[in-house]
Amino acid sequence: MKRVVVLASGRGSDLQSILDAVEAGWIRDARVTAVVSDDPEAQALERGRRAGATALPVPPVPKSKGGKEEHERRIIEAIEGTGRADLVVLAGYMRILSPRFVDAYTGRLINIHPALLPAFAGRDGVQDALDHGARLTGCTTHFVDHGVDSGPIILQAAVRVRPDDDRAALHARILKVEHQILPRTVDLFVQGRLQVEGRQVHIRPGDTWMEKVEPVPEALYPHGF
Ligand code: GRF
């Protein structure tokens, strides 16, 4: 049974999509063992508790008590305290992780970003795409490296930007495909079908979720989904 730990700072709908896929048996031989949040009030913690995962609130640490380095040490301690994590997923975790943290989970640390990386990396990819006048945007799952939203890409899905879109409407459309792409990424990882060679992530042949999911109208799904 692979152990998946999710870091989330807020609502946790991406986390929920993983929990639901495990519950539905779409992700087999894995479970979310813990949810870590830098916000003790995050709804993501409650979602984890309801699913039987350990909820681990780890609030930020003032500079006077060690700041980011101490905060990340406490997060690692909390994660390892629940048993070795086979995969750590950043699902709406809003803090930049240090190279030290990334190195502790190299090859088993993934993130989801609400844009088609490398376009619109950073804090608000949804608004950045709108502001730039993009016609297509979407979401990306990727392995985390020392950069911001810059590691090897695993899956992406594209959605149309509509002329009347505001941030909320566009983000809601992107989230619909996030909730399919992220659990599928976890599934591919726990199946051992992801092989990273430099910037390329090769997906070994196997099943597809295209017959399983209700396709989001007009969305474009990637090879490997
Ligand atoms: C998602 O859009 C994710 O791509 C971004 O933060 C958002 C988290 O949403 N990094 P939720 O908290 O999972 O609903």
Side-chain angles (χ1 to χ4, degrees):
M1 179 63 74
K2 291 274 191 310
R3 307 167 65 85
V4 179
V5 173
V6 179
L7 275 62
S9 299
R11 179 184 46 191
S13 73
D14 277 335
L15 160 68
Q16 193 62 54
S17 72
I18 301 170
L19 295 170
D20 293 347
V22 170
E23 179 67 23
W26 290 19
I27 297 175
R28 289 181 300 284
D29 309 324
R31 67 187 182 89
V32 176
T33 51
V35 176
V36 178
S37 185
D38 52 325
D39 177 357
E41 302 307 312
Q43 188 184 349
L45 289 171
E46 185 48 34
R47 292 178 190 268
R49 285 187 196 99
R50 276 208 301 271
T54 304
L56 300 167
V58 185
V61 175
K63 276 201 184 345
S64 58
K65 294 196 176 352
K68 181 184 179 110
E69 187 174 338
E70 174 57 16
H71 185 216
E72 291 187 353
R73 192 197 63 73
R74 293 180 188 181
I75 290 173
I76 292 175
E77 187 178 61
I79 293 173
E80 301 307 316
T82 64
R84 176 184 157 79
D86 295 297
L87 175 64
V88 177
V89 181
L90 307 180
Y93 185 70
M94 301 314 278
R95 293 177 187 269
I96 304 296
L97 292 164
S98 70
R100 183 199 324 262
F101 186 102
V102 173
D103 291 346
Y105 293 103
T106 290
R108 55 190 171 114
L109 179 60
I110 65 173
N111 180 45
I112 184 160
H113 182 74
L116 294 177
L117 294 174
F120 311 122
R123 189 156 186 80
D124 195 350
V126 179
Q127 189 61 52
D128 294 346
L130 274 177
D131 293 348
H132 197 78
R135 294 281 185 239
L136 296 174
T137 188
C139 60
T140 303
T141 57
H142 63 93
F143 284 103
V144 176
D145 63 7
H146 288 182
V148 175
D149 301 326
S150 57
I153 290 170
I154 304 170
L155 293 178
Q156 295 185 296
V159 300
R160 284 196 177 92
V161 180
R162 295 197 179 132
D164 58 347
D165 266 339
D166 59 10
R167 189 193 182 291
L170 179 55
H171 196 192
R173 194 172 321 117
I174 294 171
L175 277 166
K176 287 192 186 320
V177 285
E178 287 192 38
H179 297 159
Q180 298 175 332
I181 294 295
L182 180 58
R184 176 57 167 169
T185 299
V186 172
D187 176 44
L188 290 168
F189 183 92
V190 300
Q191 285 190 51
R193 288 173 54 189
L194 301 178
Q195 185 182 351
V196 186
E197 283 175 25
R199 274 226 56 96
Q200 304 302 320
V201 177
H202 301 289
I203 301 176
R204 294 194 182 93
D207 69 346
T208 171
W209 277 21
M210 279 313 287
E211 293 115 26
K212 272 181 171 172
V213 303
E214 185 66 36
V216 171
E218 303 178 333
L220 180 62
Y221 293 87
H223 155 71
F225 180 75

